[in-house]
Amino acid sequence: MYKNYIFDMGNVLLGFNDERLLSAFLDDENDKKLVEKELIWSEEWQLGDKGLIDENEFLTRVLSRLPERLHEGATKVYLNWHRLMDPIPGALEYVKQLKREGKRVYVLSNAPLRFSELEKLYEELFSLFDGIVVSAREKSIKPEDKIYQVLLERYNLNPEECYFYDDLQCNIDGAKRNGIDGEVFKGSFLHLLKENENE
């Protein structure tokens, strides 16, 4: 029986949509593709998630690869990604339901230090969690073993009593390698709420 439920943040608790983010600050489709490639899918994004570069270094490196006319838009994309995330359907209700059932809930997210801004923006959601582990704070990202072990050890969790929701198979594989069961999240918790209502 699972006593602890672990949630990824991006596209599990809050939706991260590249197109919506890029379109908020850029108009031309080719410009969007270039900024997506050089910013969102960059090595620097991974380094930021791992807490190995700060925002100033991130922007300096990324902007050096972009034409000057895109610097303002790309900067706005980077500094505002957390403001353009929407709650996943049923996420808040499902977390509340688990808490009512006496379960403990945790966040395990690959994210930069700006995650703290998300916690303020979505205080109702994040205040429910018994613990939050963010990659940039730990200098380790999923699916590295270290970050799963940080979560387990910090909160004294038995991995066999944990269940993990993440949108990437590689991160579920990492969890299972560390004894944590889980599944690739499909985009909504509404079906789980319905199932539990029928029990």
Side-chain angles (χ1 to χ4, degrees), residues 22 26 28-42 62 65-70 74:
L22 293 162
L26 300 163
D28 183 80
E29 291 302 317
N30 289 326
D31 288 347
K32 291 179 194 176
K33 289 177 183 177
L34 181 58
V35 171
E36 181 179 39
K37 174 179 178 287
E38 297 296 346
L39 192 154
I40 295 176
W41 297 111
S42 67
V62 169
R65 301 195 296 268
L66 292 171
E68 188 172 351
R69 63 184 176 79
L70 294 180

Side-chain angles (χ1 to χ4, degrees), residues 166-192:
D166 195 286
D167 64 319
L168 297 177
Q169 183 64 54
C170 62
N171 294 337
I172 296 298
D173 293 342
K176 291 186 175 181
R177 192 170 58 243
N178 286 274
I180 301 168
D181 198 6
E183 66 180 90
V184 176
F185 181 69
K186 300 302 184 183
S188 172
F189 287 103
L190 296 177
H191 68 291
L192 291 173

Side-chain angles (χ1 to χ4, degrees), residues 13-14 82 85 87 92 95-96 99 105 107 115-130 132:
L13 293 172
L14 300 170
H82 62 291
M85 300 184 78
L92 177 62
V95 172
K96 286 182 175 180
K99 294 287 285 185
V105 292
V107 173
F115 185 93
S116 60
E117 297 298 318
L118 274 177
E119 293 178 274
K120 296 174 187 174
L121 285 170
Y122 298 97
E123 183 179 3
E124 181 184 8
L125 173 63
F126 287 109
S127 65
L128 295 170
F129 287 91
D130 297 284
I132 296 176

Side-chain angles (χ1 to χ4, degrees), residues 6 148 151-152 159 162-164 172 175-182:
I6 306 163
Y148 301 98
L151 176 73
L152 295 172
C162 297
Y163 198 84
F164 182 40
I172 296 298
K176 291 186 175 181
R177 192 170 58 243
N178 286 274
I180 301 168
D181 198 6

